[in-house]
Amino acid sequence: MAPGHEPPLVDPGEARRAQLTAAGLAVLAGLVLGLGAIAGRTGVVATVALAQAALVPAWVLGARRPGRIGGMVLGVAAAGAADAALLIRDRTSPAVLLGVLGLAVPVLLAHQLTRGVVRVRVTESLAGVAVLVAAEVGLSTLVALDRADLGNRLTGVVVLAAGAALAVARLTDAVAPVPRIADGLPYGLLAVVLAAVAGAAVGVVTATGPLSTTEGAGVGALVGAVAALVSVGTGFVAVMLPEPRRALALAAVSVLVPLALVAPVGYLTVLSVAG
C-alpha cells in the first residue's frame, strides 16, 4: 500500500457487485415510474405508491437502524398521508407536504418514547426514521408534478433522467471509480459527471413538447447530477455498516432514496423553466 493511500473499506469485488445490482435496479425503477407517467394520473399514483412501499423495508433492513418496527409504521403512514393530502383536493402545489413533515416531527419523538427499555442509540434511530419519512414524502412530489399542465410528460422527464443517471453512475463506479471522492470508498467524480451527461441526454429526448431542447438538457443534467450525489451519500451509509450487510436492500436504498430526494428538485426545476 503506497504511503498516503487508505485501504478500501469494502472488498472491491463486493463493491462491484453492489454497483451492478444498483444499476439494474435503477433501470427498473426508472422504467416503472416512466411507464406510470405515460399511463397518466392513475399510473403515476400507482407507481409512486409502489416505490414508497418498496422503500420502507429496503431502508429499514438495509440501513439497520434501531426502532425498526416503529420506523416501518411511520414510513408507511408518512407515504399515505402525503399522497392523500395531494389527492383529496387534487393539489398541484406540494406545499401541503410541508404540513405532513411538520406533523411528523412530534410523532418521531413520540416513537422514541414508546421504545421503552430497548431505547438505545436514540439519535441514530431518530435520524434513520427521519430520513425515511423525508424520502417517502419526497416521492409524493411526483404526484403533485403530474397534476400540473402536461404534468405526466414533465414527470416522465424527471424520473427517466434520474433513473438513467443513477444507472450510468453505478456502472461507472463499478468499472472506474475515479477520481475517488473519499479514500477507500468506491465512488468517483467521473460517475457524477457522466450521470449529468446521461440525464441531459434523456432530458433532450423526453422533453420534446413541454420543454425545449435546451431546457430538457438542463433539467436532465441537474436531476442526474443531484441523484448521483445523493446516491454517493447513501453509499457512505452502506459501507460504514458492520457485517453482514443486506446487499439487495442496500442496492434498493441507493436507488430509491436518490429518486425520492431528487423529486422535489425536479418539480421545482421543470415548473420554473416550463412556466
Side-chain angles (χ1 to χ4, degrees):
M1 183 68 63
H5 287 270
E6 296 291 334
L9 297 178
V10 293
D11 176 72
E14 177 190 346
R16 189 173 297 108
R17 288 190 295 272
Q19 301 278 22
L20 293 175
T21 301
L25 290 177
V27 172
L28 178 61
L31 288 177
V32 169
L33 290 169
L35 289 173
I38 293 172
R41 292 192 172 187
T42 301
V44 170
V45 173
T47 52
V48 166
L50 179 62
Q52 289 171 322
L55 177 57
V56 171
W59 177 260
V60 171
L61 297 176
R64 294 167 58 185
R65 295 297 190 263
R68 288 175 291 180
I69 296 176
M72 293 184 72
V73 172
L74 291 178
V76 171
D83 291 347
L86 292 169
L87 292 172
I88 288 174
R89 295 190 178 180
D90 198 27
R91 296 177 186 270
T92 299
S93 171
V96 67
L97 299 181
L98 296 176
V100 177
L101 290 174
L103 291 173
V105 173
V107 177
L108 293 176
L109 297 174
H111 166 234
Q112 296 304 316
L113 295 176
T114 61
R115 292 177 59 204
V117 294
V118 296
R119 196 184 304 132
V120 295
R121 299 159 62 194
V122 172
T123 301
E124 186 179 353
S125 174
L126 183 62
V129 180
V131 170
L132 175 60
V133 168
E136 294 286 354
V137 174
L139 276 169
S140 296
T141 310
L142 297 174
V143 176
L145 177 58
D146 178 64
R147 275 144 174 74
D149 187 31
L150 296 176
N152 65 319
R153 298 288 303 277
L154 297 174
T155 303
V157 173
V158 172
V159 297
L160 290 172
L166 288 169
V168 168
R170 298 288 63 80
L171 288 173
T172 302
D173 280 337
V175 176
V178 293
R180 299 267 178 165
I181 293 176
D183 288 337
L185 298 177
Y187 301 97
L189 288 176
L190 177 62
V192 178
V193 173
L194 292 183
V197 173
V202 172
V204 169
V205 173
T206 59
T208 305
L211 301 175
S212 68
T213 299
T214 302
E215 291 169 342
V219 169
L222 178 61
V223 167
V226 172
L229 288 171
V230 175
S231 72
V232 172
T234 62
F236 272 70
V237 173
V239 298
M240 296 302 178
L241 290 173
E243 298 287 353
R245 300 185 181 95
R246 292 180 171 87
L248 183 59
L250 287 172
V253 165
S254 70
V255 172
L256 293 174
V257 170
L259 282 172
L261 297 184
V262 82
V265 176
Y267 175 96
L268 293 172
T269 306
V270 295
L271 289 189
S272 65
V273 299

